[in-house]
């Protein structure tokens, strides 16, 4: 979040939110927050070559596929159908990264 | 604690490679990104070998690279997208052999963020503009142009953002000289965010969008956007546009959209063409699995173009487009060859294909043919209704090809790459070695290997022959000055000299004019066409006509030492006198009228080579028995006057003056080094001041246990020095910096340069009574690799306490194990299916093992003899089991008999972690450790990821639980358990009764075992979450931790706490202590932290030099090997960290990343100095060097010396 936000009136808040995707606000739901978290994490993984290699080795996939699947999963909204009924998140959350053993 | 971080081996994985004429010469070069380094590679079209021109650390993470050339230009520039929030244009300057930043434009925050561009780069093929994009939303377009002075200019950025869109790929469209257009693959997530049922996510469309940069209006418009296949992942540029000179179109323009299983040709207002990606006709092929293109390259030739695309199995396909003007008639695909899976493919105009492998070694292939007229089946879009697009939602019927060995390509060169290093050990087990070796388990899948890394240069022997006796010296010489190659080999024995002539064969010759009845002291081709031999009785000057003039040594005095060059000869007599000769213009050797009495027996002499265009070299170095070295003038004004004197710690055994380039001292001319080898095996390297003749800047190095012999040789047309002791070393200049590296070869008694037609750059050496001719092929490398092939990705390996074998577990996910494959084949045979045995017999190292769905594993246990370099035994695991951990345990219940316990799990899924059952396989060692016998198998509830021997029992991390097991008759018996760990235990270490537990996500905790109450208690943990990937105990209370994000840190527990815990006999005190922050009652403190930039996979506490200090050595996933050296004094800390501060100011990162921010990527860097940055001091301009040195109150030499000392005394590198 930039320091601009602190000094601007609320009228501009919406504009700034549109500009800085991923910024939170007071009415943020748990699922929205989580979706942001996931998208941030996924882009960070794709952006760090060592992390994509690491996941590729653990999962027996190629680096190209790991990057592709990460980007695909970014589109997904975390919570999915679970959101309407209850508050648990884990159910349909994309299973993103493994807890791989060494490698 | 303060640490000094030094990289011994930079990362070797290539994340991206681009090709272009970066030096502006006609030759094409490759720039490879190693993640944190940029390397310029030059493939030689004649020899087909790749050489490194430069390699620089950029102190940032490179995410994308692109090459571009301005219209009409002859030189390519590189654009770098990184995590610095800046776009950087680099130019390679061949004069200074360095990259220079032409432009650096800031557009966002640093870090690999979601909406900060840097992930993708696309350039207009005419070099007019570049698009840089983030993973999401943000795309910026810069216009590239030249100004009046023909300098490259860059505009301010134009936005082409699309809100809430995930970007998969971008590419520059080839539109000729129309407005630059970029194509992007995007998915909008607005609707899927609104819809909670997940339906919208299912229905989301992937759009192919064209962005046009209107050069007239200076803005970017979205020109065209159409949905395409949902599983599209990659775009490829199709040539287009008209040439100015002709009306002909280069191609149809547009893009190839690579999707899962298909490739689609698309362009605005043009019909689509779709072809399937062919699959292997392999009986075990998993038909449900989609085919993805992971790497691709387009190549334009005169009037034609083609694409090479590669799938995940490494199969290359050639894609061609039939077109008439702008209209596409057909899209065709056929199998080309199979090469390792690449992160980048580069085609060079000289007919080479560079494959930057995603893992393991990289290859350069030469095209043998382009697969034009073979009988490989070709699949064309015209053979499907509406060019394969009749129903885009339905896949086309599968197309098949038969994989076969290489036909269109031939391997030209191989670049060794350690990446990925998954586990390692540092041990000294090879015979005849005084320093430890690094054993690294590297690679992925069937291309895995266990590599033995030894510090030193690889030596390639070409000839080895036995001699009649044991010579004590060898020389080679040309006959005349202009000869390209050497003509004679002269061998000196105790009582005679043997002369061999080099021709088609090497044979003895008699009529050379050399005295054969006495040993030889020196041989020299002198003047234009004469030869010179120095023997104890005198000097023989053999003229071209065969006439010999001889100078005899005075009666009762013999020559004891001699040194020669092209025009000068100095000999030392047994009476401690020096006699000086110089060649006059007629080619006569004249003695100087005076002899110089030295007062002490002369042991060694040396003069340098005569500088070009000069009569003589002005200095002579003399080493005397009284432990001194004197520099004596040979200048006519003060001939044989002593200029300076240096005292030594031992009598010298050899001296060698050589003029060599060293950028760290001066960048303009070679430096005159006086190397002094002492009888105790220490080498002193001093610099001879050319004006005053003083010896300055002395550096010492211990080479071995024998007296040193120094020989001046030529390596790659540059002077180098061979230093022979109990090991042989080579001191040479590489990329303008001095290197001092041991040779990994037999020890030599003497050696000399050797140049013949077959080996123009060779060396000749004698070892005992053997004569060897050899080359040093890979200058600049520091680690020699020997590898032992493996079948699957290695996971872990351990050593045995009493034998030298390694026990290694390997395993691969999504791969059919050998027994499962055999079972399936038998089943297919029973069903009467036709099995293609030829395809089954293809080598697995190249073609891989058959792929299988998630949850399928191939795994094995292997016993390796690292000394012999071979596999001793191999035990594949059956039942879809995969091995994850292992330990050698001396069970006290079996009187300390050693057992190997392997932690395995069946039907394991990696994400989320699950298995049908975990197992401990307990083995007994047979045949002295060369075999294993299964004792029993114990079931567990989760995957055992960490095992360790603990007080005669087994400590195991099984999922979240830490347990201690004892051995029973039928299975292992659980004795005690602690289930308080957060996620999964991945590492275990112990000292005394402490167990250090590394959790995959929640850092390291300290546990203690209290036998009286049989309690396992956690008494301390970390305050930070930490994705632990490697742990090493530094001392009883301190651990070094490597994490998944490339950090390395040291945590320490207050020794008082640990004492208190040890004093508590039952552990009741800890049990009732109040927990802090919902964790253990005590917290560790972080005392050092550093971001390495590569994922740390193992850490060891070792001494790398015999008698040296213990250091922390770490290995990383992308092939980095580095060390952390503890500073010994406060003074050093102050000095080096001040130097680092200055270096931060001077050395701007090539990608524009702030150094301090980079090293403190996740947590601010703490108590660690970046040695890699400090060592850049050597490359700074001289004025900068002196100003920094002045700030530090030191001389430039002192600063360099300190840095070298930090490196040499701790690592020996």
């Amino acid at each position: 979040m930039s320091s601009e936000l602190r000094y601007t009136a609320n009228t501009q808040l919406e504009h700034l939110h549109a500009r800085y995707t991923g910024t939170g606000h007071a009415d943020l739901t748990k699922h929205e927050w989580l979706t942001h978290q996931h998208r941030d994490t996924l882009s960070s993984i794709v952006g760090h070559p060592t992390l994509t290699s690491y996941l590729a080795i653990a999962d027996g996939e190629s680096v190209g596929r790991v990057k592709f699947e990460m980007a695909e999963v970014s589109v997904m909204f975390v919570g999915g159908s679970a959101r309407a009924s209850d508050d648990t998140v884990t159910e349909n959350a994309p299973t993103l990264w493994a807890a791989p053993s060494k490698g | 604690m303060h640490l000094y971080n030094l990289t011994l081996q930079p990362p070797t994985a290539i994340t991206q490679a681009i090709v272009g004429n970066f030096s502006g010469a006609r030759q094409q070069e490759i720039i490879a990104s190693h993640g944190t380094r940029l390397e310029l590679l030059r493939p030689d079209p004649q020899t087909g070998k790749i050489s490194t021109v430069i390699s620089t650390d950029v102190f940032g993470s490179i995410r994308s690279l692109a090459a571009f050339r301005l219209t009409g230009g002859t030189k390519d520039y590189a654009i770098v997208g990184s995590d610095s929030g800046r776009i950087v244009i680099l130019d390679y300057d061949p004069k200074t052999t360095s990259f220079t930043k032409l432009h650096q434009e800031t557009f966002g925050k640093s870090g690999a963020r979601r909406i900060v561009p840097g992930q993708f780069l696309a350039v207009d093929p005419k070099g007019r503009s570049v698009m840089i994009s983030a993973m999401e939303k943000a795309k910026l377009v810069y216009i590239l142009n030249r100004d009046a002075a023909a300098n490259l200019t860059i505009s301010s950025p134009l936005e082409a953002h699309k809100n809430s869109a995930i970007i998969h790929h971008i590419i520059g469209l080839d539109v000729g000289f129309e407005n630059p257009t970029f194509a992007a693959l995007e998915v909008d997530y607005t609707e899927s965010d609104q819809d909670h049922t997940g339906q919208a996510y299912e229905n989301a469309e992937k759009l192919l969008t064209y962005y046009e940069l209107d050069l007239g209006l200076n803005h970017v418009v979205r020109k065209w956007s159409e949905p395409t296949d949902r599983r599209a992942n990659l775009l490829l540029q199709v040539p287009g546009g008209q040439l100015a000179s002709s009306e002909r179109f280069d191609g149809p323009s547009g893009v190839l959209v690579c999707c899962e299983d298909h490739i689609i040709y698309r362009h605005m207002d043009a019909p689509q063409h779709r072809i399937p990606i062919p699959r292997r006709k392999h009986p075990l092929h998993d038909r449900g699995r989609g085919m993805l293109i992971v790497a691709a390259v387009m190549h334009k030739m005169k009037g034609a173009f083609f694409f090479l695309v590669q799938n995940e199995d490494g199969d290359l396909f050639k894609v061609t487009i039939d077109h008439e003007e702008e209209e596409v008639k057909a899209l065709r695909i056929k199998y080309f060859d199979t090469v390792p899976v690449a992160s980048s493919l580069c085609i060079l105009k000289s007919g080479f294909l560079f494959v930057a492998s995603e893992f393991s070694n990289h290859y350069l292939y030469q095209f043998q043919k382009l697969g034009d007229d073979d009988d490989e089946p070709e699949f064309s879009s015209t053979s499907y209704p509406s060019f394969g697009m009749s129903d885009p939602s339905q896949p086309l019927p599968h197309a098949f090809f038969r994989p076969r060995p290489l036909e269109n390509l031939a391997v030209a060169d191989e670049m060794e790459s350690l990446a990925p290093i998954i586990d390692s050990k540092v041990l000294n087990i090879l015979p005849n070695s005084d320093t430890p070796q690094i054993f690294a388990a590297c690679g992925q899948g069937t291309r895995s290997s266990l590599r033995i890394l030894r510090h030193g240069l690889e030596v390639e022997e070409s000839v080895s022959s036995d001699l009649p006796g044991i010579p004590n010296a060898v020389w080679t010489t040309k006959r005349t000055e202009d000869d390209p190659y050497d003509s004679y080999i002269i061998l000196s024995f105790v009582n005679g000299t043997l002369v061999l002539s080099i021709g088609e064969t090497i044979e003895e010759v008699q009529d050379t004019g050399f005295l054969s009845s006495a040993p030889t002291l020196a041989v020299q081709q002198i003047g234009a066409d004469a030869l010179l031999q120095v023997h104890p009785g005198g000097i023989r000057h053999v003229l071209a006509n065969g006439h010999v003039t001889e100078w005899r040594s005075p009666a009762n005095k013999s020559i004891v030492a001699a040194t020669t060059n092209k025009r000068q000869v100095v000999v030392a007599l047994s009476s401690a006198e020096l006699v000086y000769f110089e060649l006059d213009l007629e080619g006569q050797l004249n003695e100087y009228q005076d002899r110089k009495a030295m007062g002490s027996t002369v042991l060694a002499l040396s003069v340098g080579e005569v500088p070009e265009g000069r009569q003589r070299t002005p200095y002579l170095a003399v080493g005397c028995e009284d432990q001194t070295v004197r520099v004596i003038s040979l200048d006519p004004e003060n001939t044989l006057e002593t200029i300076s004197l240096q005292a030594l710690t031992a009598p010298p055994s050899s001296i060698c003056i050589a003029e060599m380039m060293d950028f760290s001292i001066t960048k303009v001319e070679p430096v005159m080094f006086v190397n002094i080898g002492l009888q105790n095996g220490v080498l002193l390297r001093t610099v001879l001041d050319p004006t005053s003749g003083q010896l300055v800047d002395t550096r010492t190095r211990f080479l071995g246990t024998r007296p040193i012999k120094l020989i001046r040789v030529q390596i790659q047309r540059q002077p180098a020095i061979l230093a022979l002791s109990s090991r042989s070393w080579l001191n040479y200049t590489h990329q303008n910096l001095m290197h001092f590296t041991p040779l990994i070869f037999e020890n030599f008694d003497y050696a000399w340069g050797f140049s013949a037609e077959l080996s123009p750059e060779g060396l000749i050496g004698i070892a005992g009574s053997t004569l060897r001719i050899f080359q040093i092929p890979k200058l600049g490398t520091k680690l020699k690799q020997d590898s032992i092939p493996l079948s699957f990705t290695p996971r872990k390996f351990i050593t045995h306490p009493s034998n030298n074998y390694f026990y290694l577990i390997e395993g691969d996910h999504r791969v059919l194990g050998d027994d499962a494959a055999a079972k399936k084949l038998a089943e297919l045979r029973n069903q009467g299916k036709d099995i293609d045995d030829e395809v089954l017999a293809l080598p697995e190292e190249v073609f891989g093992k058959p792929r299988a769905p998630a949850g399928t594993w191939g795994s094995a246990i292997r016993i390796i003899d690292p000394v012999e370099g071979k596999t001793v035994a191999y035990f594949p695991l059956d039942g879809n089991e995969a091995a994850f951990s292992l330990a050698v345990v001396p069970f006290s219940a079996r009187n300390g008999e050693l057992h190997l316990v392997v932690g395995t799990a069946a039907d394991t899924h990696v994400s989320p972690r699950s298995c049908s059952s975990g197992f401990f396989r307990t083995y007994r060692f047979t045949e002295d450790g060369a075999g294993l016998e299964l004792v029993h198998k114990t079931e567990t509830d989760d995957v055992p990821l960490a095992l360790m021997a603990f007080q005669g029992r087994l400590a195991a991390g099984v999922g979240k639980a830490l347990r201690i097991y004892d051995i029973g008759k039928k299975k292992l018996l659980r004795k005690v358990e602690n289930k308080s760990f957060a996620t999964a235990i991945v590492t275990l270490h112990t000292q005394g009764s402490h167990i250090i537990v590394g959790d995959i996500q929640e850092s390291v905790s300290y546990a203690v075992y209290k036998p009286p109450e049989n309690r396992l208690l956690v008494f301390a943990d970390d305050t930070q979450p930490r994705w632990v990937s490697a742990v090493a105990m530094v001392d009883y209370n301190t651990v070094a931790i490597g994490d998944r994000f490339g950090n390395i840190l040291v945590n320490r527990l207050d020794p008082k706490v640990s004492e208190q815990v040890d004093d508590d006999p039952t552990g009741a005190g800890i049990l009732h202590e109040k927990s802090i922050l919902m964790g253990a009652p005590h917290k560790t403190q972080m005392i050092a932290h550093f971001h390495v930039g590569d994922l740390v996979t193992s850490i060891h506490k070792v001494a790398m030099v015999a008698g040296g200090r213990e250091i922390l050595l770490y290995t990383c996933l992308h092939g980095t090997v580095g060390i952390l050296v503890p500073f010994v004094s406060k003074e050093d800390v102050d000095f080096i960290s001040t130097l680092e501060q200055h270096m931060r100011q001077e050395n701007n990162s090539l990608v524009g990343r702030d150094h301090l921010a980079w090293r403190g990527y996740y947590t601010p860097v703490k108590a660690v100095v970046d040695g890699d940055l400090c060592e850049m001091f050597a490359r700074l301009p001289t004025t900068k060097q002196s100003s920094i040195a002045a700030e530090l109150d030191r001389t430039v030499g002192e600063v360099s010396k300190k840095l070298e000392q930090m490196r040499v005394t701790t690592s020996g590198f």
Side-chain angles (χ1 to χ4, degrees), chain B residues 531-849:
Chain B
L531 292 173
L532 185 98
Q533 179 195 19
V534 183
H535 56 89
I539 301 173
R540 284 170 78 88
H541 188 191
V542 185
L543 300 175
N545 54 14
H547 184 73
V548 176
T549 36
E550 184 146 12
W551 177 88
R552 286 181 194 286
S553 59
N556 301 330
K557 294 175 189 174
S558 64
I559 299 176
V560 290
T563 179
T564 60
N565 63 25
K566 280 238 168 305
R567 307 198 55 84
Q568 294 159 291
V569 180
V570 184
V571 296
L573 302 179
S574 50
S575 56
E577 282 173 307
L578 290 182
V579 191
Y580 175 48
F581 302 86
E582 205 176 291
L583 210 64
D584 64 14
L585 296 172
E586 278 85 52
Q588 288 290 325
L589 207 55
N590 295 325
E591 187 186 343
Y592 183 69
Q593 68 264 32
D594 293 331
R595 292 185 184 163
K596 167 99 174 169
M598 296 302 294
S600 169
T601 308
V602 176
L603 297 176
L605 286 173
S606 181
V607 287
E609 291 290 351
V610 181
E612 202 133 322
R614 297 282 185 85
Q615 278 283 327
R616 61 182 74 80
T617 174
Y619 298 113
L620 163 74
V622 185
C624 301
E625 206 175 18
D626 59 358
Q627 306 194 2
T628 57
V629 165
R630 291 164 216 205
V631 176
I632 287 171
S633 168
L634 298 181
D635 205 67
E637 301 211 332
N638 50 358
T639 312
L640 297 185
E641 262 179 41
T642 304
I643 300 173
S644 62
L645 187 140
Q646 172 149 357
L648 308 170
T649 52
S653 58
S654 180
I655 298 182
C656 181
I657 298 184
E659 286 193 276
M660 295 166 75
M661 257 334 245
D662 188 0
F663 259 35
S664 65
I665 297 176
T666 167
K667 287 167 186 68
V668 279
E669 52 180 12
V671 183
M672 197 185 268
F673 289 107
V674 179
N675 289 276
I676 306 158
L678 305 186
Q679 283 180 355
N680 58 8
V682 172
L683 179 84
L684 305 179
R685 192 220 74 181
T686 61
V687 175
L688 184 64
D689 188 311
T691 44
S692 67
Q694 296 296 317
L695 293 174
V696 291
D697 192 8
T698 308
R699 313 234 176 128
T700 59
R701 200 187 255 266
F702 177 69
L703 299 191
T705 46
R706 295 201 329 219
I708 296 173
K709 283 178 194 147
L710 297 166
I711 298 121
R712 191 162 59 217
V713 292
Q714 289 271 325
I715 301 275
Q716 291 185 353
R717 288 175 290 283
Q718 301 240 13
I721 293 170
L722 260 178
L724 310 176
S725 177
S726 58
R727 280 210 278 175
S728 312
W729 298 70
L730 186 72
N731 180 15
Y732 63 101
T733 307
H734 183 71
Q735 290 175 5
N736 292 325
L737 286 178
M738 270 300 229
H739 291 258
F740 208 102
T741 318
L743 301 180
I744 299 185
F745 206 53
E746 204 181 335
N747 290 331
F748 291 110
D749 297 320
Y750 206 82
W752 201 258
F754 179 83
S755 163
E757 209 165 341
L758 288 173
S759 126
E761 292 264 292
L763 296 165
I764 186 166
I766 42 174
S769 65
T770 337
L771 185 73
R772 295 178 190 278
I773 297 173
F774 57 97
Q775 290 95 32
I776 298 163
K778 288 178 188 157
L779 283 187
T781 55
K782 298 238 165 190
L783 288 168
K784 178 183 187 276
Q785 307 183 7
D786 292 296
S787 73
I788 304 164
L790 307 174
S791 320
F792 300 99
T793 309
R795 299 278 154 175
K796 273 171 192 161
F797 69 101
I798 49 166
T799 52
H800 189 279
S802 56
N803 65 38
N804 268 344
Y805 294 139
F806 286 161
Y807 299 86
L808 181 136
I809 49 170
E810 41 189 282
D812 264 319
H813 191 209
R814 296 174 199 269
V815 152
L816 269 190
D818 295 338
D819 75 308
K823 223 180 269 173
K824 212 167 162 187
L825 269 180
E827 212 172 277
L828 286 173
R829 283 214 169 90
N830 279 344
Q831 287 168 10
K833 292 261 168 66
D834 200 17
I835 305 282
D836 190 344
D837 285 315
E838 221 169 288
V839 171
L840 284 177
L842 286 172
E844 282 183 341
E845 310 82 90
V846 185
F847 292 88
K849 293 197 187 264

Side-chain angles (χ1 to χ4, degrees), chain B residues 22-23 40 42 53-54 75 90-94 97-99:
Chain B
F22 298 106
S23 57
L40 186 76
R42 187 171 290 155
V53 183
I54 50 161
K75 188 178 166 111
L90 294 180
D91 172 31
Y92 170 67
D93 184 354
T97 56
S98 61
F99 287 113

Side-chain angles (χ1 to χ4, degrees), chain A residues 99-101, chain B residues 796 884-885 913 943-947 957-959 984-986 1000:
Chain A
S101 70
Chain B
K796 273 171 192 161
F884 291 97
S885 54
R913 191 184 69 249
V943 189
L945 290 177
L947 296 180
V958 184
I985 295 167
V986 284
I1000 199 164

Side-chain angles (χ1 to χ4, degrees), chain B residues 462 630 663 870 1030 1054:
Chain B
S462 49
R630 291 164 216 205
F663 259 35
K870 61 172 206 270
D1054 189 350

